[in-house]
Amino acid sequence: MMIARLVIGLLLFAAVICFAMSIATRQPRWRRIGLVIVKWTLIAALAFFGALILERLALLL
């Protein structure tokens, strides 16, 4: 669980860096990369925490 949180946090940090580079260089490429990183980070986080919720529900039944 700690590793998953660390990976998600590092990916979000990378997205923030990409958005900062987009502002600094005014290149739309960095914004696109940042949005792609955010999108896949959210998908991975939802899948991971969804699996945790399903595991808890399975223990209750």
Side-chain angles (χ1 to χ4, degrees), residues 11 35-45:
L11 284 170
L35 288 174
V36 168
I37 292 172
V38 168
K39 178 180 76 170
W40 285 106
T41 301
L42 289 176
I43 289 170

Side-chain angles (χ1 to χ4, degrees), residues 7-27:
V7 169
I8 290 169
L10 288 174
L11 284 170
L12 288 175
F13 180 70
V16 168
I17 296 297
C18 286
F19 291 133
M21 288 294 293
S22 171
I23 292 169
T25 63
R26 304 219 187 262
Q27 292 180 0

Side-chain angles (χ1 to χ4, degrees), residues 35-61:
L35 288 174
V36 168
I37 292 172
V38 168
K39 178 180 76 170
W40 285 106
T41 301
L42 289 176
I43 289 170
L46 288 173
F48 175 74
F49 290 113
L52 284 179
I53 290 170
L54 288 176
E55 181 183 349
R56 295 272 179 160
L57 287 174
L59 291 176
L60 291 175
L61 298 178

